[in-house]
Amino acid sequence: MKKMKKLLSLMLAIVMVVSTVPYAYAEDDLSKETSEQEVGIITNQDELQAALKAGGNYKLGNNITIDKGVYSDAESTAIDLAGYTIAATKSWAISVSEGNLTISGGSTEKLAYILYDGNLTIKDTVITATSSSVLGCHGGEMTLEDVIVNATYGSVVYSNGGTINIRGGAYLAAHDEEMFDSYTGEAPNVNVYAGTFNMDVSEYVAENCEQVLKDGKYVVDSSIKGTAGEGV
């Protein structure tokens, strides 16, 4: 009788273990599906504007052309360009009035970025603009990480407020313009931690970082030793 009870207990334990396995797999699959659903796909201008307004995580599904400016005021929005390009028909802008916007992993053409308040972060992106300035900062905090900026006709940054942090990348301003300019005539609040520039930016180099002249370009990094103009 005792042996029979032990056998029944063992069988019951096995049944309970086996019955939970499909549920665990189903729960894991559901979690993956939910995670995938949380990333919206943007394929046109209207969807881009809706995403910037609603907030959340998104990625581009193809190249997009916009024929007017778009704006962001959501609490938090992240857009992965996924290797695609947002191109403007003329010099339009993505404007941020509040909240946090992060753009990464692709390129934008003829498109400026204007920050009024909140936080704007741009990462691993190639920016080509034909306007007088590529990045406008009026307030809040703008961070550029490993960004390539080609300001064809103007300054890289035009500012009258806020803070701009540059952490790597390459920045090309028009030769008859300033790299960083302002509406007030005073030096904008720019902190350069790393990057390569076609103009001297020693005035803006952050603490514990240095600038050297290398192959005709001004290079800033925390790991190099020297001063602006070295090698001339």
Side-chain angles (χ1 to χ4, degrees):
M1 187 67 177
K2 289 183 179 180
K3 290 183 178 180
M4 181 61 71
K5 287 183 178 180
K6 288 182 179 180
L7 181 60
L8 288 173
S9 298
L10 179 60
M11 292 178 65
L12 179 60
I14 292 172
V15 169
M16 290 179 67
V17 170
V18 172
S19 65
T20 60
V21 171
Y23 174 77
Y25 278 115
E27 187 178 44
D28 186 57
D29 290 342
L30 180 60
S31 177
K32 289 180 180 177
E33 183 178 342
T34 301
S35 178
E36 290 175 356
Q37 289 176 347
E38 289 176 351
V39 179
I41 305 298
I42 299 172
T43 60
N44 57 50
Q45 176 175 294
D46 291 339
E47 291 174 355
L48 174 61
Q49 178 58 83
L52 292 170
K53 185 69 177 174
N57 298 316
Y58 301 87
K59 67 179 181 180
L60 260 59
N62 49 250
N63 295 327
I64 293 176
T65 299
I66 64 173
D67 59 9
K68 61 181 178 181
V70 292
Y71 66 93
S72 173
D73 59 3
E75 181 178 352
S76 181
T77 307
I79 299 178
D80 178 2
L81 300 178
Y84 292 112
T85 298
I86 300 177
T89 55
K90 60 180 182 178
S91 298
W92 298 110
I94 294 178
S95 301
V96 181
S97 58
E98 60 180 314
N100 302 287
L101 173 63
T102 299
I103 293 178
S104 63
S107 61
T108 60
E109 298 176 358
K110 293 184 180 180
L111 189 65
Y113 296 84
I114 302 175
L115 176 65
Y116 293 98
D117 201 359
N119 295 279
L120 171 62
T121 300
I122 306 174
K123 303 178 180 180
D124 302 314
T125 298
V126 178
I127 302 172
T128 303
T130 57
S131 58
S132 58
S133 60
V134 180
L135 303 162
C137 188
H138 304 275
E141 185 169 10
M142 181 184 295
T143 301
L144 308 173
E145 298 183 12
D146 298 322
V147 173
I148 297 175
V149 178
N150 185 359
T152 309
Y153 298 112
S155 302
V156 169
V157 171
Y158 213 70
S159 172
N160 67 346
T163 301
I164 302 99
N165 299 310
I166 298 179
R167 301 180 181 276
Y171 302 84
L172 178 67
H175 285 287
D176 57 344
E177 298 286 344
E178 298 287 338
M179 178 66 66
F180 311 124
D181 207 348
S182 71
Y183 297 97
T184 61
E186 299 179 359
N189 186 18
V190 177
N191 303 306
V192 178
Y193 296 90
T196 301
F197 306 83
N198 69 327
M199 297 180 183
D200 182 358
V201 295
S202 56
E203 180 182 355
Y204 303 97
V205 173
E207 187 176 357
N208 298 322
C209 298
E210 293 187 80
Q211 173 182 276
V212 296
L213 184 63
K214 184 178 181 180
D215 298 327
K217 302 294 183 182
Y218 294 90
V219 180
V220 177
D221 200 302
S222 60
S223 64
I224 59 178
K225 300 297 181 182
T227 59
E230 181 178 317
V232 175

